Amino acid sequence: MRAGLETGFDGVTLYPSTLDGPAQRALLTELEAAFALAPPYRPTMPRTGKPWSIRQTNLGPLGWLSGKDGYHYAPLNPLTQTFWPAIPAALLALWVDFAGYEAPPECCLVNFYETDKARMGLHQDRDEEALDAPVLSLSLGDTCVFRIGGFARSDCTKSLRLASGDVLVLGGASRMRFHGVDRIIPASSQLLPQGGRLNLTLRRVTKP
């Protein structure tokens, strides 16, 4: 496993340009086929029912959902009542290379930031049983301004830029840090024909 860039947070490591252009385009072709089976949709907040500014879908044995029932994982797509498409081999290989965990991921959450107005507020990934497993994300498309902080929403934060092909791992002591996406930088990548950013987040949900 190659060395990553230190971010100033123990357990948060950035691996820039992990996937080169051809690898990104090959993965995008696989993702487009998966999206035909499980089209990205706009989730809603549990209490307010307010639609998110992003669209979302899932790959793998389990999908992460937000809606009137709260946040939870489910094996079936609620819109199609079918199983989620499989996680592409290229993403599973990234988990093997960078996660350092004994079991494979069970969910690949796909967030599609369509415009520069799409964002993700500070939050923790805490709906998993296997909190000892890291969260690994791959960025595709336009660069985002990613914000990471402490273990309370009010803690001081730091911004990082995540470009197409970058891998970011949150694990160890930093697994439960608050993090989010402030904004997308338009036209910073030519990968997605329509522009925007795809964020692919690999998670182990159940304990091995």
Side-chain angles (χ1 to χ4, degrees):
M1 183 174 69
R2 67 187 179 91
L5 297 181
E6 295 300 326
T7 62
F9 297 104
D10 182 28
V12 180
T13 309
L14 174 62
Y15 300 91
S17 303
T18 297
L19 292 189
D20 62 15
Q24 292 176 44
R25 290 189 289 273
L27 177 57
L28 184 59
T29 298
E30 288 192 70
L31 293 174
E32 288 170 344
F35 297 162
L37 300 174
Y41 63 93
R42 204 168 300 281
T44 57
M45 296 297 294
R47 291 187 297 275
T48 65
K50 181 180 178 181
W52 289 30
S53 65
I54 63 166
R55 288 191 295 143
Q56 192 172 83
T57 190
N58 289 275
L59 309 172
L62 294 172
W64 184 86
L65 303 173
S66 172
K68 63 181 181 180
D69 297 328
Y71 305 125
H72 64 282
Y73 285 92
L76 297 181
N77 183 329
L79 300 183
T80 64
Q81 291 303 307
T82 58
F83 293 110
W84 304 101
I87 300 174
L91 293 175
L92 295 176
L94 292 178
W95 181 268
V96 171
D97 288 344
F98 299 111
Y101 194 70
E102 61 182 304
E106 295 171 295
C107 174
C108 176
L109 175 64
V110 181
N111 288 333
F112 180 31
Y113 298 78
E114 299 173 80
T115 71
D116 59 342
K117 299 187 186 309
R119 63 199 67 234
M120 180 75 66
L122 287 174
H123 65 281
Q124 294 170 302
D125 294 342
R126 59 184 181 185
D127 299 314
E128 302 76 35
E129 291 179 7
L131 292 177
D132 59 328
V135 173
L136 183 153
S137 75
L138 170 69
S139 298
L140 293 176
D142 286 339
T143 297
C144 83
V145 179
F146 177 83
R147 184 171 296 276
I148 185 165
F151 303 100
R153 197 183 302 273
S154 58
D155 288 348
C156 293
T157 61
K158 177 180 180 178
S159 292
L160 305 172
R161 291 201 173 195
L162 303 180
S164 194
D166 290 357
V167 167
L168 183 72
V169 177
L170 277 71
S174 289
R175 172 62 175 77
M176 296 298 292
R177 287 187 182 276
F178 276 86
H179 57 280
V181 173
D182 283 348
R183 63 188 179 93
I184 306 300
I185 301 173
S188 48
S189 168
Q190 303 302 313
L191 179 68
L192 304 182
Q194 71 275 43
R197 172 181 184 254
L198 286 171
N199 185 54
L200 310 169
T201 304
L202 297 175
R203 300 171 178 173
R204 177 73 193 187
V205 180
T206 64
K207 294 182 178 179

